[in-house]
């Protein structure tokens, strides 16, 4: 079975005015769709891999028997598919505040405000294209803020994503142009952490 673009469980305009409908539509139907298509093109060359979950491919990427350009394609486009599938869930406006996560954020970072400050600082300083993540490190079980480049998925390096922010320009440029800090500030209003 091929990978497919997941349906958005809410409308493209559901996150207005913080994330605009046009950006959401392009992001979902063009950018994410392209990751899905290119991931399928790479995986289809290896019939034994068709039907394997994306998590399995990404976590075992180094050991898959394949040509290097295909491994890079799965890292980039498979990561893109994994990250965006999660991102649409993170942005779901029907999400309730997760009290357990908030409690752990408080105990790890001192307060939600301090955490937001550190996360925002990390996302603002991320150079080029990538994501800022709140992850759980599998080795220490602790929460950490991580910047990862391009579409590298946290699960590739033993990190369980709690939530993440797409800071590729395609995620905000239409509405915010170069004002990444303003996009990040408004993203917190969608996330409803407090
Ligand atoms: Mn994106």
């Amino acid at each position: 079975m091929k990978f497919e673009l997941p349906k958005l469980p809410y409308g493209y305009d559901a996150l207005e005015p913080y994330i605009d409908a046009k950006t959401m539509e392009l992001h979902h139907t063009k950018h994410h769709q392209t990751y899905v298509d290119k991931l399928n093109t790479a995986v289809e060359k290896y019939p034994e891999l068709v039907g394997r979950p994306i998590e399995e491919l990404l976590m075992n990427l180094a050991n898959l028997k394949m040509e290097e350009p295909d491994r890079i394609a799965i890292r980039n486009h498979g990561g893109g598919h994994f990250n965006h599938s999660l991102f649409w869930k993170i942005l779901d406006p029907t999400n309730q505040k997760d009290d357990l996560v908030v409690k752990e954020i408080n105990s790890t970072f001192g307060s939600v405000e301090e955490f937001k400050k550190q996360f925002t600082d990390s996302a603002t300083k991320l150079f080029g294209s990538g994501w800022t993540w709140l992850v759980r490190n599998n080795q220490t079980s602790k929460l950490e803020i991580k910047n990862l480049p391009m579409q590298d998925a946290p699960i590739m390096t033993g990190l369980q994503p709690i939530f993440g922010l797409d800071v590729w320009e395609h995620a905000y440029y239409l509405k915010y142009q170069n004002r990444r800090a303003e996009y990040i500030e408004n993203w917190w209003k969608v996330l409803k952490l407090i």
Side-chain angles (χ1 to χ4, degrees), residues 75-161:
R75 176 177 182 167
N76 290 338
H77 302 293
H81 175 48
F82 175 88
N83 291 342
H84 286 84
S85 298
L86 184 60
F87 195 51
W88 309 133
K89 290 180 190 164
I90 291 163
L91 297 179
D92 189 332
T94 65
N95 283 351
Q96 302 294 312
K97 187 176 73 151
D98 187 334
D99 288 327
L100 272 180
V101 169
V102 171
K103 204 173 157 201
E104 198 174 346
I105 284 174
N106 271 308
S107 63
T108 306
F109 298 93
S111 68
V112 170
E113 284 311 312
E114 177 57 27
F115 161 72
K116 281 172 70 175
K117 206 172 126 226
Q118 289 182 28
F119 189 102
T120 298
D121 192 50
S122 195
T124 307
K125 288 178 178 162
L126 192 155
F127 182 73
S129 297
W131 292 66
T132 300
W133 294 96
L134 174 66
V135 296
R136 184 180 307 285
N137 186 314
N138 283 344
Q139 287 193 329
T140 63
S141 297
K142 293 246 172 20
L143 295 185
E144 297 173 2
I145 297 166
K146 282 273 179 201
N147 279 352
L148 294 178
M150 306 306 279
Q151 294 295 351
D152 280 2
I155 56 170
M156 284 168 46
T157 46
L159 304 169
Q160 289 305 320

Side-chain angles (χ1 to χ4, degrees), residues 9 16 28 35 39 45 48 56 64 77 82 117 124 141 144 147 155 170 173 178 189 192:
E16 292 271 10
H28 182 247
Y35 295 126
L39 169 64
K45 296 183 193 172
E48 72 278 13
E56 200 184 313
L64 299 178
H77 302 293
F82 175 88
K117 206 172 126 226
T124 307
S141 297
E144 297 173 2
N147 279 352
I155 56 170
H170 70 227
Y173 207 84
N178 61 323
K189 294 171 188 165
K192 284 185 281 185

Side-chain angles (χ1 to χ4, degrees), residues 50-63:
V50 173
R52 303 262 291 270
I54 189 59
E55 290 82 359
E56 200 184 313
L57 298 182
L58 291 171
M59 288 193 288
N60 296 302
L61 198 53
N63 302 319

Side-chain angles (χ1 to χ4, degrees), residues 87 90 119 123 130-133 163-168 183-184 187:
F87 195 51
I90 291 163
F119 189 102
W131 292 66
T132 300
W133 294 96
F163 56 74
L165 172 60
D166 187 347
V167 285
W168 281 56
Y183 159 67
I184 297 169
W187 177 72

